[in-house]
Amino acid sequence: NIVNQIQHLQSKGEKLSDMAILIRKGNYANSLQYHLTKAHINYVLFVEKSVFGTYDAYTVRLLLESLHDVKYKTINTFLILGKMAKIEMEHLSDEDQQDLYFRWIQWNQLADSGRIYVTIQQLLHFFAIEDQEQISNISHIAELLQEQQTQHHWSIYQCLQWLKEQIIIQNNQDYNTRVYNDGDAVKIMTIHKSKGLEFDHVFVLGL
């Protein structure tokens, strides 16, 4: 498969930046990203894909749901499904659970005061997120949420409802994912976007 071929080329000293994977449609990128990440192969995405179509949008949705309804149950749901931290409430001591609960209340108050972007950034820092694509997508969504909250003076709940709508719609080009890494990485792009570009090694997916 493509991952094995890329790894073989790497073993021969070829640079990832000299490789490109061309896809017919943006939705082919999801599975491809998963397999590349699993194989620890750096990649950069040049596909017109809504940031609200990423798993990170679902993570932010879970986060807002847990912030809107601050209970041990909702916090635990976020920790398990949001995958921002590999911990579960039941594995924490009573003292640590209480500490996290009070932190969540503080973040609830901060987000509801019109500072939803700052709240999400603090959570990224708290959970020590290192994945650059995840940071890029979540920060992008946080910026868009902040724009809406500032313009309409929205509560967490109203921001959550807007986010849910965007996850369903996914048709605004202003909300496309951003390029977060352009170093030694495989380029993923649609066939249309590849016109005029040259790479030493090209893989075509989805034909």
Side-chain angles (χ1 to χ4, degrees), residues 22-171:
L22 308 185
I23 58 180
R24 279 203 322 134
K25 298 179 180 179
N27 54 8
Y28 281 104
N30 288 335
S31 176
L32 182 58
Q33 287 177 269
Y34 170 78
H35 290 293
L36 290 173
T37 300
K38 189 175 180 181
H40 305 289
I41 296 174
N42 293 330
Y43 62 87
V44 58
L45 195 62
F46 288 94
V47 176
E48 291 183 357
K49 174 183 175 182
S50 170
V51 70
F52 295 110
T54 65
Y55 186 86
D56 300 314
Y58 175 65
T59 298
V60 177
R61 195 196 95 182
L62 289 172
L63 170 60
L64 294 189
E65 288 175 345
S66 67
L67 285 172
H68 168 62
D69 183 23
V70 184
K71 297 176 182 176
Y72 286 116
K73 182 179 179 180
T74 54
I75 296 173
N76 196 33
T77 300
F78 170 72
L79 293 176
I80 296 171
L81 300 179
K83 297 182 179 179
M84 289 183 74
K86 297 178 180 178
I87 58 176
E88 297 178 20
M89 292 290 279
E90 60 200 46
H91 296 157
L92 298 175
S93 66
D94 290 343
E95 184 177 347
D96 287 339
Q97 284 192 35
Q98 194 71 14
D99 178 65
L100 188 56
Y101 178 70
F102 283 124
R103 282 177 181 267
W104 229 261
I105 291 176
Q106 291 176 332
W107 283 318
N108 164 280
Q109 295 171 345
L110 183 63
D112 239 0
S113 70
R115 303 181 67 192
I116 199 162
Y117 176 82
V118 173
T119 304
I120 294 174
Q121 290 299 316
Q122 286 187 10
L123 280 155
L124 283 173
H125 178 73
F126 177 77
F127 288 121
I129 304 304
E130 297 180 352
D131 184 282
Q132 292 303 306
E133 181 184 15
Q134 187 177 28
I135 292 172
S136 175
N137 286 339
I138 291 177
S139 295
H140 187 185
I141 293 169
E143 289 175 16
L144 296 171
L145 284 165
Q146 185 63 65
E147 287 177 7
Q148 296 299 318
Q149 188 180 46
T150 300
Q151 182 178 351
H152 303 291
H153 307 288
W154 279 350
S155 64
I156 296 174
Y157 176 76
Q158 291 168 308
C159 289
L160 173 61
Q161 296 310 305
W162 181 80
L163 175 60
K164 287 180 178 179
E165 290 176 6
Q166 301 311 311
I167 290 174
I168 294 172
I169 299 170
Q170 297 182 33
N171 65 355

